[in-house]
Amino acid sequence: MADAMPAMAHEGDDLRRKQREYLFPNLATLYEEPLVIVRGEGKYVWDDQGRQYLDAFGGILTVSLGHCHPEVTERVARQLRTLQHVSTLYVTEPQVRLAERLAGLAPGALKRSFFTNSGTEANETALVVARAHTGCDDVIVLRHSYHGRSMLTMTLGGTHGYRAATPVPGVHHLASPYCYRCPFGLTYPSCDLRCAKDVEELIQTATSGRVAAFVAEPIQGVGGFITPPPEYFKEVVSIVRRYGGLFVCDEVQTGWGRTGTYLWGIQHWGVEPDIMTSAKGMANGLPIGWTITTDDIAQSFRHSTISTFGGNPVSATAALAVIDVILEEGLADNAARVGRFLMDGLKALQEKYPCMGDVRGMGLMIGVELVHGGKRPAPDLLNRWLEATRKRGLLIGKGGLHGNVARIAPHLNVTRSDAEIMLRIMDEAMAEVQPYMEV
């Protein structure tokens, strides 16, 4: 094994060089020296040097059950040996079984599913359906949001670094429910939910007075795990519906028990979507996208359509296996329990380190916003923290408009002992970072 390590390290250097040469130059990485991952098992991944890391980001909230989960892997392998692909022109058992299962798990009257390859396609599908049903093109979205990387979904996004150069018309951005940096300079709850109520003036001044949809993530992922107040969605959705709009709930990151207690993030706010989308953790790393709506709304999507790879037997089988594990092992409740422990631990660290300006989120979806004095965004401190945690064997993510928010989102079956290790490493790493805070 010792002889193999220099060869692996050399191969890693070669891979980094070839990535710089052959892939698009704007492909983002987290670290100054890009990390080459060669293997994953459960909660851990290993790099080309043989170093082991506790993974608290899971491929951007995608490896929901840990790497190479044995039950998911075995069921996928059996399906690969049985039937891999025929397209939606044919009926396959995994796709139909998955759609039936999801109709029983989705909130409210959501019943009809359409499968694609990614969250981007799922959100594209949702907007096609919403515009067909309402006969209107105008869409309301939130600043700081992220909904994908097609031309339309990049336009939906509310972060400049991820937006299209030429926006698609008909998309209007509403102030985000970002309490730590309230765009109106107010404080919750005395703010009277100004950010939600402002949607009425936006509709009256920026649209024809009718809208197709309001699209929102329950907790904004790329935006830095921005978490709205408890009353937010009831207020904003009720106004949008008065103007004929549907509520499209983007559960690409928040779904599958990630926010704790419930299967869907929006359930914490007590609102039922008209259309819901998901992807990422749905198949533990296999490509999948999912759009679900009511029977009535689905009837509006009249043109004949296909999804070449959507709902293919392999991805559908993976999703069915993931659902079984999440439900049988009570992982939404586990996310709530371990998430509370992590949140409490991070809040304690916040008292210790002034550069930890805000700690927010739900379940196993926790954001830590790093700042200099006067709440000035501190992306430099976050980059130092990422490097310091990596050096100690922990991988976390980043986000936020200014790139100053750590995203902590371990697998759903994480244990309290795992969380204790994460908190110890984050504490040690923050002690290294805090002296660089500017007052």
Side-chain angles (χ1 to χ4, degrees), residues 3 29 53 89 104 110 157 163 187 232 288 296 385 425:
D3 293 337
T29 57
Y53 302 89
L89 290 172
L110 301 180
R163 296 203 65 196
T187 303
Y232 175 78
I288 195 167
D296 178 56
W385 202 31
I425 291 174

Side-chain angles (χ1 to χ4, degrees), residues 264-394:
W264 313 112
I266 196 61
Q267 290 176 285
H268 291 279
W269 285 268
V271 174
E272 293 179 0
D274 300 295
I275 305 174
M276 191 169 77
T277 63
S278 196
K280 287 192 179 288
M282 183 175 182
N284 208 50
L286 272 74
I288 195 167
W290 169 51
T291 307
I292 188 168
T293 189
T294 65
D295 190 70
D296 178 56
I297 294 172
Q299 300 299 332
S300 305
F301 196 10
R302 295 190 180 92
H303 294 93
S304 180
T305 191
I306 62 166
S307 180
T308 302
F309 295 106
N312 82 79
V314 179
S315 292
T317 295
L320 284 164
V322 168
I323 292 168
D324 286 344
V325 173
I326 288 173
L327 296 180
E328 290 167 8
E329 298 185 6
L331 296 186
D333 288 333
N334 185 67
R337 285 191 301 273
V338 181
R340 277 193 297 271
F341 178 77
L342 267 174
M343 180 71 80
D344 290 345
L346 287 164
K347 291 280 189 183
L349 293 183
Q350 185 183 20
E351 295 294 320
K352 186 176 177 181
Y353 300 110
C355 69
M356 295 175 67
D358 193 31
V359 178
R360 54 182 178 255
M362 285 183 176
L364 294 172
M365 192 171 183
I366 302 174
V368 179
E369 181 159 355
L370 300 192
V371 297
H372 291 296
K375 290 171 60 170
R376 288 177 291 124
D380 56 319
L381 297 185
L382 179 58
N383 289 336
R384 289 180 182 276
W385 202 31
L386 287 172
E387 294 290 351
T389 51
R390 170 190 173 177
K391 180 172 66 177
R392 292 168 172 81
L394 175 67

Side-chain angles (χ1 to χ4, degrees), residues 133-270:
H133 183 74
T134 61
C136 181
D137 288 336
D138 283 305
V139 176
I140 305 296
V141 291
L142 292 173
R143 298 174 192 167
H144 301 273
S145 62
Y146 180 84
H147 299 286
R149 54 164 311 281
S150 65
M151 286 294 289
L152 174 58
T153 55
M154 282 193 286
T155 301
L156 296 180
T159 302
H160 70 90
Y162 291 96
R163 296 203 65 196
T166 305
V168 176
V171 177
H172 311 280
H173 287 82
L174 179 68
S176 177
Y178 193 174
C179 292
Y180 183 66
R181 298 185 184 279
C182 176
F184 301 101
L186 303 174
T187 303
Y188 176 82
S190 60
C191 62
D192 195 32
L193 292 178
R194 172 73 181 278
C195 59
K197 293 179 179 178
D198 194 53
V199 72
E200 186 156 30
E201 184 172 347
L202 179 64
I203 293 171
Q204 291 175 344
T205 58
T207 77
S208 63
R210 293 178 59 245
V211 293
F214 168 61
V215 186
E217 308 154 90
I219 296 175
Q220 293 183 308
V222 170
F225 290 178
I226 296 170
T227 307
E231 310 89 349
Y232 175 78
F233 279 106
K234 284 187 177 179
E235 183 69 32
V236 70
V237 170
S238 67
I239 296 171
V240 168
R241 284 175 172 161
R242 286 206 304 269
Y243 288 87
L246 305 178
F247 173 36
V248 177
C249 184
D250 179 341
E251 294 266 4
V252 169
Q253 294 195 32
T254 54
W256 313 106
R258 170 60 58 184
T259 57
T261 307
Y262 305 111
L263 202 56
W264 313 112
I266 196 61
Q267 290 176 285
H268 291 279
W269 285 268

Side-chain angles (χ1 to χ4, degrees), residues 40-163:
E41 183 179 342
K43 68 188 97 174
Y44 298 112
V45 293
W46 286 262
D47 70 10
D48 58 301
Q49 306 284 331
R51 290 182 295 238
Q52 175 183 287
Y53 302 89
L54 182 57
D55 186 1
F57 198 36
I60 316 180
L61 293 79
T62 300
V63 187
S64 50
L65 303 181
H67 298 274
C68 304
H69 188 278
E71 181 172 342
V72 178
T73 301
E74 176 56 31
R75 287 170 63 172
V76 165
R78 287 202 304 268
Q79 184 60 52
L80 276 167
R81 292 190 292 265
T82 305
L83 179 67
Q84 183 175 349
H85 174 77
V86 291
S87 91
T88 52
L89 290 172
Y90 304 91
V91 178
T92 64
E93 181 178 1
Q95 179 176 230
V96 173
R97 297 294 182 215
L98 179 58
E100 180 183 33
R101 190 79 183 277
L102 293 168
L105 295 173
L110 301 180
K111 177 183 177 183
R112 297 273 192 167
S113 288
F114 190 88
F115 298 109
T116 49
N117 303 294
S118 65
T120 294
E121 287 184 70
N123 286 327
E124 285 268 356
T125 302
L127 265 296
V128 169
V129 174
R131 285 170 161 174
H133 183 74
T134 61
C136 181
D137 288 336
D138 283 305
V139 176
I140 305 296
V141 291
L142 292 173
R143 298 174 192 167
H144 301 273
S145 62
Y146 180 84
H147 299 286
R149 54 164 311 281
S150 65
M151 286 294 289
L152 174 58
T153 55
M154 282 193 286
T155 301
L156 296 180
T159 302
H160 70 90
Y162 291 96
R163 296 203 65 196

